[in-house]
Amino acid sequence: RDVYKRQVLGASRYYEYDAVNARIAVGSTFLVRHCWARGYNNDMKRLMLHHAFQFVDTVVFHVGENNYRSQKAVLKTGATLHLHAPGKMEFWLHKADWINQADY
């Protein structure tokens, strides 16, 4: 991935931190198109999840109901559908499930 050194390839963020329930959301992720399907999304999620799970027990992903690409990416983490409301879906990934994901 040396080709992309010193270039912004995308962004993501943590939000909705809930200290009482040891939960945080990860999302608003985007990557520039030339980075799609090249493993960057997995790398970004892996780094963010590794960091988040040092402080929380659950990571929440909010995904648009018709955003099938993001739904597929989130499911690859081991997250499961927690809520499906009109227009959006909410997936939860628990720390215990993430730790058991040796191949992600």
Side-chain angles (χ1 to χ4, degrees):
R1 305 193 197 221
D2 294 337
V3 145
Y4 300 116
K5 282 185 179 176
R6 300 180 194 187
Q7 292 183 21
V8 175
L9 303 178
S12 193
R13 70 183 180 117
Y14 298 105
Y15 60 101
E16 294 184 4
Y17 175 60
D18 178 351
V20 172
N21 293 302
R23 187 169 53 228
I24 197 164
V26 170
S28 298
T29 303
F30 80 91
L31 286 170
V32 294
R33 185 174 282 265
H34 67 268
C35 291
W36 290 6
R38 294 188 175 188
Y40 290 94
N41 192 33
N42 287 351
D43 291 348
M44 187 171 15
K45 278 189 177 51
R46 183 182 302 112
L47 289 168
M48 293 185 75
L49 290 169
H50 177 77
H51 180 73
F53 283 134
Q54 294 177 60
F55 307 100
V56 298
D57 297 323
T58 305
V59 171
V60 178
F61 299 94
H62 297 114
V63 181
E65 187 175 32
N66 296 319
N67 189 341
Y68 305 112
R69 183 183 302 265
S70 290
Q71 291 172 29
K72 184 177 175 182
V74 166
L75 288 170
K76 284 183 182 179
T77 69
T80 56
L81 183 61
H82 181 75
L83 170 72
H84 187 176
K88 76 172 187 175
M89 301 171 80
E90 185 174 285
F91 297 85
W92 285 24
L93 178 61
H94 301 285
K95 186 175 188 176
D97 296 329
W98 168 252
I99 291 170
N100 294 326
Q101 287 260 339
D103 293 331
Y104 184 81

